[in-house]
Amino acid sequence: MERVLQGDKLSLELDYFKKTSDTLGTLKQKYSASHVPPPSSRPKRATLVNIAACEPPTLHNASTDPSTSTSPQTLSLTIKSTKPPLLFTIKCPETSTIATLKSLLCAQESTAPGVEQQRWVYKGKVLADGKLLKEFGVVDGAVINLMIKASTPSSTSTPAPATPEPTTPPLPTSIPTLT
């Protein structure tokens, strides 16, 4: 039967145990690169909490709710140029591309410049041909500035007359001799 430690022997045993545990706590244990901890010592997955989620939104039928119609809005735009002073008004859907609108302007107005000469600017931004009108935030009744590029000379125009090449006097065929 073991005896229970008392007094000085108990305090000496406790001091020894503390020193040994402190020493073991400071030692670093090295593991090999292929070490895999056993499944019992791996961290466990977090417990998932059951949280009530809100219901998904319901879709409205366009035929019953006129405020949510999916048809594009028709806009009335004023196209204005300062040099030369021109003013055009066109109606178009907001889902039209800028290139389509430039062609529409040329088709509707006989005094409009060609598509290649037009550059549209709205609120300081140049409207790119491939983008939609609604991407720039254009609203009904907006004024779009039209900048007209200088026309480039066409390749079918007649070339400038060629300058005549300078003629050189003919060289003498016989060389005179000095005597």
Side-chain angles (χ1 to χ4, degrees), residues 31-43:
Y31 294 106
S32 67
S34 63
H35 173 73
V36 177
S40 61
S41 64
R42 291 183 192 162

Side-chain angles (χ1 to χ4, degrees), residues 70-102:
T70 58
S71 64
Q73 182 182 4
T74 301
L75 304 177
S76 176
L77 302 176
T78 303
I79 314 297
K80 181 176 102 173
S81 171
T82 54
K83 291 184 182 179
L86 299 171
L87 187 67
F88 308 106
T89 303
I90 59 172
K91 293 186 185 277
C92 59
E94 64 181 354
T95 56
S96 299
T97 63
I98 303 301
T100 306
L101 295 176
K102 287 179 180 181

Side-chain angles (χ1 to χ4, degrees), residues 26-165:
T26 60
L27 296 177
K28 301 284 183 184
Q29 187 171 4
K30 295 182 181 180
Y31 294 106
S32 67
S34 63
H35 173 73
V36 177
S40 61
S41 64
R42 291 183 192 162
K44 297 184 180 196
R45 293 184 185 174
T47 305
L48 298 177
V49 180
N50 189 8
I51 298 175
C54 62
E55 294 181 22
T58 58
L59 298 175
H60 295 287
N61 190 352
S63 62
T64 60
D65 191 5
S67 66
T68 59
S69 66
T70 58
S71 64
Q73 182 182 4
T74 301
L75 304 177
S76 176
L77 302 176
T78 303
I79 314 297
K80 181 176 102 173
S81 171
T82 54
K83 291 184 182 179
L86 299 171
L87 187 67
F88 308 106
T89 303
I90 59 172
K91 293 186 185 277
C92 59
E94 64 181 354
T95 56
S96 299
T97 63
I98 303 301
T100 306
L101 295 176
K102 287 179 180 181
S103 301
L104 178 69
L105 180 65
C106 286
Q108 287 182 355
E109 304 288 341
S110 61
T111 58
V115 175
E116 304 83 30
Q117 293 178 310
Q118 296 181 30
R119 176 174 286 173
W120 291 15
V121 180
Y122 179 68
K123 291 185 178 179
K125 292 182 181 177
V126 176
L127 305 182
D129 287 345
K131 293 199 173 190
L132 300 178
L133 192 61
K134 70 178 182 179
E135 291 181 51
F136 295 102
V138 178
V139 295
D140 189 31
V143 176
I144 296 177
N145 295 313
L146 172 63
M147 307 297 284
I148 300 175
K149 299 177 191 174
S151 61
T152 58
S154 62
S155 60
T156 59
S157 64
T158 58
T163 56
E165 294 183 21

